[in-house]
Amino acid sequence: MLILYHNRYSCSIDDSTADYLDDFESYLQRPLNFWYLPAAKRRQINLIRSRMLYLLKNSRPIFEQLLARKDYSSFEAKQETILKIYQWLQIVPHEPAVKNGIDINQWKLDLKSKFGHLLFESESAAPELKKVLKKLPPFHFHQILTGTDETARKQKLERLIAILLKEQWISPCKTDGIYLFRNTGNGGRLQLAALYFTLNKQGHIQQRLTAPKVAALFNNWLSHSIPRDSFIKAFQTEQQDTFNCTPNKPRYKYVQDCSLLLRDL
């Protein structure tokens, strides 16, 4: 949105930015195909578009206040806008949003996951907001998976766990909801890294997170003996890219095994 606005603002010779938000709203209402992008990426783009359209229709001043600033593209302006959106989501009624296909709770969780550190660090963040952030339920692995709603995403994780149990990758623990990763050898870390790579490649990951967050989400339901730093490194972009290789590379077999494993997911 800011890129489009900046282009208009920079090229304007008669201050033609007054109707920008009207034009942007019309743009968001037009369906876009993005056929050249992977399905998961298309879903993520359309999710962002639908949220922006809902925000624009129901809380337009947030956009107006952002664009009224001379430093509208600065870090501080973006940070304050994210904070305002989050505060607005605390009071927006759920039922009208659901009717418009908007999951308010998932929206708040996504903001907390991606920008929680900004919300806490913001000088304008009220103590009440910090309490709300702390009381929010923790982020879980199923929430990064693709699915039409929360229930569908939970069911997908349950199917994944059932597959891993059947193939004896994992076994139940005494703690409910926690599973023991059975491969304690040197290939265990690569096995889990390839699993995440394949989930993403097959379009099962709707939300890309940083390596520490991905590792933390695995740790929410998986018990393993892999050292923390090594485990986090497995989900770094440069490490994940090594699985996109030719058949003569050692890591290709890991991806093939995971592809067969997930064929019925």
Side-chain angles (χ1 to χ4, degrees):
M1 184 199 78
L2 289 177
I3 291 173
L4 292 173
Y5 180 77
H6 182 74
N7 289 343
R8 178 178 291 194
Y9 182 83
S10 301
C11 299
S12 172
I13 58 175
D14 56 358
D15 193 23
S16 61
T17 60
D19 58 350
Y20 170 76
L21 289 178
D22 292 331
D23 291 345
F24 189 62
E25 182 175 343
S26 299
Y27 163 75
L28 292 174
Q29 289 173 332
R30 294 195 300 270
L32 297 178
N33 187 15
F34 299 114
W35 57 267
Y36 47 87
L37 295 176
K41 192 67 174 179
R42 291 200 304 269
R43 284 192 292 268
Q44 183 65 16
I45 291 173
N46 285 321
L47 174 65
I48 294 172
R49 283 168 55 85
S50 62
R51 285 175 176 176
M52 291 190 73
L53 180 59
Y54 189 79
L55 178 62
L56 186 56
K57 286 184 173 181
N58 293 277
S59 190
R60 190 181 178 107
I62 290 179
F63 287 92
E64 293 175 337
Q65 291 166 13
L66 172 63
L67 300 184
R69 299 176 57 143
K70 292 183 178 180
D71 64 339
Y72 55 82
S73 63
S74 68
F75 174 82
E76 291 75 14
K78 295 173 185 175
Q79 182 175 357
E80 289 180 22
T81 301
I82 291 167
L83 177 63
K84 288 176 183 177
I85 293 172
Y86 193 88
Q87 290 173 324
W88 176 72
L89 289 173
Q90 306 307 315
I91 61 172
V92 67
H94 284 231
E95 289 189 10
V98 171
K99 290 179 180 178
N100 285 273
I102 301 294
D103 186 336
I104 295 295
N105 287 329
Q106 185 61 46
W107 193 349
K108 289 190 289 188
L109 285 169
D110 288 347
L111 285 178
K112 182 189 176 187
S113 171
K114 294 180 181 178
F115 306 113
H117 61 293
L118 297 182
L119 297 173
F120 275 114
E121 291 169 2
S122 174
E123 294 180 356
S124 58
E128 292 78 11
L129 177 61
K130 292 182 180 179
K131 292 178 182 178
V132 170
L133 286 170
K134 290 179 180 178
K135 290 180 180 179
L136 274 175
F139 201 54
H140 292 290
F141 190 85
H142 74 268
Q143 290 168 311
I144 68 170
L145 300 177
T146 53
T148 54
D149 53 27
E150 185 82 351
T151 300
R153 290 187 283 270
K154 286 182 179 179
Q155 290 173 344
K156 178 169 285 189
L157 177 58
E158 289 170 1
R159 291 197 301 273
L160 174 61
I161 289 173
I163 291 171
L164 296 179
L165 284 169
K166 181 181 177 181
E167 298 299 323
Q168 298 186 354
W169 277 42
I170 60 176
S171 58
C173 289
K174 292 182 179 179
T175 305
D176 191 34
I178 302 296
Y179 298 87
L180 177 66
F181 183 54
R182 294 168 61 93
N183 189 346
T184 58
N186 294 331
R189 186 181 76 98
L190 289 177
Q191 208 171 26
L192 291 176
L195 177 66
Y196 180 74
F197 172 84
T198 308
L199 283 169
N200 188 43
K201 185 178 180 180
Q202 293 186 359
H204 296 301
I205 302 293
Q206 72 160 342
Q207 188 173 156
R208 298 289 298 276
L209 301 177
T210 61
K213 290 181 180 178
V214 174
L217 290 178
F218 268 102
N219 289 335
N220 281 346
W221 61 277
L222 197 64
S223 175
H224 58 83
S225 58
I226 302 170
R228 179 180 178 276
D229 290 344
S230 179
F231 192 55
I232 291 174
K233 184 179 179 181
F235 305 109
Q236 291 176 349
T237 302
E238 55 270 25
Q239 290 293 316
Q240 287 286 295
D241 287 344
T242 62
F243 288 99
N244 190 19
C245 58
T246 55
N248 62 329
K249 299 295 184 180
R251 297 195 176 197
Y252 184 81
K253 184 181 183 300
Y254 286 96
V255 178
Q256 286 296 95
D257 290 345
C258 289
S259 297
L260 291 173
L261 191 77
L262 301 176
R263 63 186 182 276
D264 297 324
L265 185 61

